[in-house]
């Protein structure tokens, strides 16, 4: 069965800490995504990557960075965590398929609380 | 910018009744419309999708309809069951982009 694994289900961090959220997929997918999920706001794209070492900003990249050194792993980095980054973070992957849309496979999410 | 409006935000139905969730998109170039179901403690999962060259698609108890002129698409669930209780998200994607525009979600409760 295909799988997207996020390293932590729950995380509690302090304001100002550097935070790493890790995501690994076992489907050999080229595309990987980081979304943020907040009540009433749906899913908002933070960053996506379409190849190793390639990345593009999504709708809300401020305060975040990403790293993709290997095809299967995509990391989200909060350089200096702030309370307004308390949220559910979802990682997803997909095959590239220009022009027709492609199914996203999501991980189970990481609920991050910044105190 | 592009957006997708989704209604209602919450929906309660009796077991066995039908449920309808509606979405409206703004980008007329959108051509792929998936629906995702998110159960408690899990990530969203694709349940059905429709492409812009099709008006309706069915898969057992779920169906999706698309009205390109009005830029509306809807999810229909018939004979609802308790296991249909979840949060449902619609999305719209434009050809040649990676960018999914998600709706704000609908929390469906099926009452036994």
């Amino acid at each position: 069965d295909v799988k997207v694994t996020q390293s932590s289900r729950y995380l509690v961090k302090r304001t100002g800490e550097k935070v790493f959220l890790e995501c690994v997929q076992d489907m050999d997918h080229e595309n990987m995504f980081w979304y943020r999920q907040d009540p009433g706001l749906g899913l908002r794209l933070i960053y996506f990557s379409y190849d190793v070492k390639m990345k593009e900003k999504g709708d809300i990249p401020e305060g975040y960075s990403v790293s993709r050194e290997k095809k299967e792993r995509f990391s989200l980095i909060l350089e200096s965590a702030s309370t307004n980054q308390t949220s559910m973070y979802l990682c997803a992957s997909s095959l590239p398929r220009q022009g027709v849309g492609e199914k996203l496979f999501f991980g189970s999410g990481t609920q991050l609380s910044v105190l | 910018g592009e957006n997708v409006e989704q209604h209602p935000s919450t929906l309660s139905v009796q077991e066995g009744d039908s449920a309808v969730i509606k979405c409206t998109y703004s980008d007329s170039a959108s051509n792929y419309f998936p629906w995702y179901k998110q159960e408690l403690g899990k990530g969203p999962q694709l349940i059905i999708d429709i492409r812009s060259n099709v008006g309706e698609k069915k898969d057992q108890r779920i169906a999706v309809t698309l009205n390109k002129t009005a830029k509306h698409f809807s999810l229909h669930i018939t004979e609802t069951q308790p296991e249909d209780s979840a949060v449902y998200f619609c999305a719209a994607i434009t050809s040649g982009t990676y960018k999914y525009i998600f709706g704000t979600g609908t929390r469906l409760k099926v009452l036994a």
Side-chain angles (χ1 to χ4, degrees):
Chain A
D1 203 10
V2 296
K3 217 163 180 187
V4 177
T5 304
Q6 293 184 232
S7 54
S8 304
R9 184 72 183 94
Y10 299 97
L11 267 183
V12 180
K13 296 292 181 180
R14 296 270 178 213
T15 302
E17 279 192 76
K18 190 169 186 175
V19 181
F20 292 86
L21 302 183
E22 306 286 347
C23 175
V24 176
Q25 50 97 1
D26 65 0
M27 295 167 282
D28 203 33
H29 284 171
E30 279 79 4
N31 300 333
M32 295 189 75
F33 305 79
W34 275 106
Y35 287 91
R36 175 175 168 161
Q37 181 178 7
D38 298 289
L41 296 178
L43 280 70
R44 293 180 292 166
L45 182 64
I46 305 172
Y47 267 98
F48 74 89
S49 168
Y50 49 91
D51 202 349
V52 174
K53 297 191 188 292
M54 305 304 286
K55 60 187 180 185
E56 284 200 24
K57 293 180 180 179
D59 297 315
I60 51 165
E62 297 79 18
Y64 304 95
S65 62
V66 290
S67 172
R68 192 158 180 209
E69 296 296 319
K70 293 185 178 181
K71 190 176 185 181
E72 67 271 17
R73 187 178 297 270
F74 192 35
S75 302
L76 180 69
I77 303 155
L78 287 65
E79 297 291 341
S80 177
S82 64
T83 55
N84 63 11
Q85 292 178 309
T86 291
S87 187
M88 171 67 80
Y89 290 88
L90 289 163
C91 175
S93 71
S94 75
L95 286 166
R97 197 171 169 195
Q98 288 283 359
V100 293
E102 189 56 51
K103 177 178 178 179
L104 290 178
F105 293 84
F106 283 91
S108 296
T110 296
Q111 180 63 51
L112 173 66
S113 297
V114 183
L115 306 178
Chain B
E2 306 94 336
N3 77 304
V4 174
E5 291 188 7
Q6 183 172 346
H7 299 282
S9 55
T10 60
L11 179 60
S12 293
V13 299
Q14 289 295 133
E15 184 177 357
D17 286 353
S18 295
V20 181
I21 303 170
K22 299 183 179 181
C23 289
T24 305
Y25 60 98
S26 61
D27 185 359
S28 55
S30 296
N31 63 350
Y32 175 61
F33 307 94
W35 285 89
Y36 285 81
K37 175 184 180 183
Q38 185 178 27
E39 296 176 341
L40 199 61
K42 297 184 180 180
Q45 274 199 303
L46 180 72
I47 55 170
I48 195 167
D49 56 12
I50 192 167
R51 303 188 190 278
S52 59
N53 58 347
V54 174
E56 184 174 357
K57 185 176 178 181
K58 260 186 165 180
D59 183 4
Q60 298 183 339
R61 295 187 297 107
I62 60 172
V64 57
T65 58
L66 172 65
N67 181 331
K68 282 181 61 180
T69 305
K71 292 192 252 179
H72 287 167
F73 59 112
S74 299
L75 178 71
H76 304 254
I77 307 174
T78 58
E79 300 171 22
T80 52
Q81 299 167 6
E83 53 264 37
D84 295 327
S85 295
V87 178
Y88 291 81
F89 292 98
C90 63
I93 301 94
T94 301
S95 173
T97 75
Y98 294 108
K99 198 170 178 184
Y100 284 59
I101 309 296
F102 282 91
T104 51
T106 296
R107 183 173 298 278
L108 173 65
K109 293 181 187 175
V110 179
L111 307 169

